[in-house]
Amino acid sequence: SKLRNTIRSTNVSGNVARFQKIGTGSATTKSRNGNVTPMELAHTNVEVTMSDFYAAEYIDKLDELKTNINERQAVAESAAAALGRKTDELITTAMDAGANSTQLGAGGSAVSKADLLSTFETFGTANIPEDGQRYIAMSPAGFADLFNITEFASSDFVGPQNLPFAGGMTMKEFLGFKIFSTSAVAGGKNFTYHMRAVGIGVNSDVQTEVNYVAEKVSHLATSMMSMGSVVIDDNGVYELLDNN
């Protein structure tokens, strides 16, 4: 999963995850020896129900004799990867359903410098913390389009120090946003969000087991997980449109 470590996560005992949401407060003055004015912060919570997912494959015992690879390990890795992609699908589906009604960018053209500046302005106006936890998840085509923006592509503006995961997952920092590509994002609609505005509840993390099934004369490799994702605060999640 590319997205899971970019959002808020909590372990769940039961079938529902609850994320606490505390409203915005305002500071006030007081007179000498006077009483302070409480902020009266609104306390609400957002819930998401856990969903169970399985990725399984039979490995025929005699088929294993006909290959020169570790079939069980290969199948187990493929099943675990399938659940990683399903995790990203859960997160993008939640963001698609719960994003702010204000859409950024234009559907008929690639994301431009002006669109990124507008995104920066929108987050600033909404008082979304500029704390290194702002992200933009883009389709591969949309991310590739960004390299047509000189300020984004040129090391004169963005040096190699702004590639926090250059050794593995390529992620480029620009205007305080960590921007990356993922196939979980469909072309035409990217997502920009703050880490704490989206949550995922984990009832059971991805786990894999291999069991021998005598009546099948096969090993059954099964990966499984139980998770659910939801937008906690739509002021921190926006759709960034492009033409891909």
Side-chain angles (χ1 to χ4, degrees), residues 13-90:
S13 295
N15 69 331
V16 174
R18 292 181 178 87
F19 295 92
Q20 298 302 312
K21 180 179 176 181
I22 300 178
T24 303
S26 297
T28 57
T29 61
K30 80 172 189 66
S31 60
R32 179 174 294 177
N33 299 324
N35 295 327
V36 296
T37 302
M39 292 188 295
E40 302 290 354
L41 295 174
H43 287 67
T44 57
N45 62 67
V46 178
E47 296 184 351
V48 61
T49 301
M50 300 296 96
S51 297
D52 303 334
F53 299 94
Y54 303 87
E57 184 75 6
Y58 283 107
I59 305 139
D60 189 276
K61 187 172 183 178
L62 294 182
D63 281 348
E64 288 189 85
L65 302 176
K66 301 177 179 66
T67 62
N68 60 356
I69 63 171
N70 187 334
E71 185 74 10
R72 273 177 264 176
Q73 180 180 346
V75 169
E77 289 176 353
S78 179
L83 291 183
R85 292 190 297 273
K86 176 58 72 172
T87 301
D88 284 349
E89 182 185 320
L90 288 174

Side-chain angles (χ1 to χ4, degrees), residues 163-182:
L163 292 173
F165 304 119
M169 174 179 167
T170 299
M171 184 181 281
K172 194 158 187 174
E173 190 164 355
F174 188 68
L175 292 174
F177 291 91
K178 291 181 172 66
I179 308 174
F180 62 98
S181 71
T182 170

